[in-house]
Amino acid sequence: MSKRKSRRDPARSRTGYYLVGAMVVAAIIGYLLLSSPLLGHNVAPTTSTRSSSFSATTTASKPIILYVNQGNGVVNGSNLNSLLQVASSHGFNTIFFQIYRSGTLLFTDGALTQFAAAAHGQGLRIFFALYFTNSTQKIPSSIYADGEDGINLDMSTLPLATQTGLFSSLSSAYSGQTAITTTDPTLALSPSLLVVETYGAGGEQYVHRGIIASVGVFATSGSQDYAQQFKYALDNSDGVMVFDYAGLVKAGY
């Protein structure tokens, strides 16, 4: 910065000249202190939000679902925290929690409300999964207000007309997200999340955008095979579902 030269008689007021100069310097220093993000503010260092397996960007943009099949291993209030810890530590952001099997609601609405709150407390979304085995079974509508993020219909063994009726009934009365877990890659229904069970021999041919692909722990030969199938499903579809929690824990992946 060049010095400002006085056009007046320098002997007239040298003291005033120095005073003005000091004020200018002080003003410049004050401006730098206020405008610099390092000098004027306490800036917290940027920290990584990467989980053990996935970046935060990945987990935020696609559903990474852990399915809980009560037929393979019971999960209730006594061991729910173990499920939530496994889900969080493995990079899952959503749980499909089976609450209905073969026409029987396994939990009270009060318990389901607590399960939903516990999942949300860990930053996880939770869908209540309903497993149907015959055409006479109905959706338990009392669960619509239990705090879940969505409801999943697991009904592949039913005739298409019955599946269509159940999905229509859910869509017309329920305000949350809807999901369908199916073994039929050509299923002509359009829930919020369409999960196709693509695990097993030849399943990769059905992995594509527009569906959520799946990994069956029972259909993997080891942790490396599991990781490869998981990555392929996640990279080439709209998300991934792992079937299921009990198998994942037993395998130790």
Side-chain angles (χ1 to χ4, degrees), residues 139 144 164-176 178:
I139 299 173
Y144 291 174
T164 302
L166 286 170
F167 177 60
S168 177
S169 175
L170 178 65
S171 300
S172 63
Y174 180 61
S175 60
T178 59

Side-chain angles (χ1 to χ4, degrees), residues 22-36 39-41:
M23 291 175 62
V24 170
V25 171
I28 293 172
I29 293 174
Y31 172 79
L32 292 175
L33 287 172
L34 291 173
S35 63
S36 170
L39 296 176
H41 302 83

Side-chain angles (χ1 to χ4, degrees), residues 212-224:
I212 293 173
S214 306
V215 177
V217 176
F218 59 87
T220 61
S221 59
S223 59
Q224 184 175 0

Side-chain angles (χ1 to χ4, degrees), residues 26-110:
I28 293 172
I29 293 174
Y31 172 79
L32 292 175
L33 287 172
L34 291 173
S35 63
S36 170
L38 294 178
L39 296 176
H41 302 83
N42 292 323
V43 179
T46 301
T47 56
S48 171
T49 54
R50 183 178 297 274
S51 69
S52 58
S53 302
F54 312 103
S55 69
T57 300
T58 299
T59 57
S61 61
K62 290 185 177 183
I64 302 178
I65 304 165
L66 182 58
Y67 193 106
V68 178
N69 184 351
Q70 298 287 357
N72 291 348
V74 174
V75 178
N76 52 35
S78 66
N79 58 354
L80 180 69
N81 284 337
S82 296
L83 161 67
L84 300 180
Q85 289 171 8
V86 168
S88 297
S89 64
H90 283 66
F92 293 97
N93 56 28
T94 306
I95 297 172
F96 277 17
F97 190 83
Q98 195 176 87
I99 66 162
Y100 178 92
R101 286 180 62 85
S102 305
T104 300
L105 184 61
L106 304 177
F107 304 99
T108 66
D109 290 315

Side-chain angles (χ1 to χ4, degrees), residues 223-233:
S223 59
Q224 184 175 0
D225 183 34
Y226 168 82
Q228 290 174 344
Q229 290 192 35
F230 188 104
K231 186 177 187 305
Y232 184 85

Side-chain angles (χ1 to χ4, degrees), residues 124-147:
L124 298 165
R125 297 200 308 159
I126 185 168
F127 282 58
F128 292 156
L130 313 180
Y131 175 55
F132 295 91
T133 53
N134 69 57
S135 299
T136 65
Q137 296 161 4
K138 305 297 181 183
I139 299 173
S141 59
S142 65
I143 68 172
Y144 291 174
D146 288 343

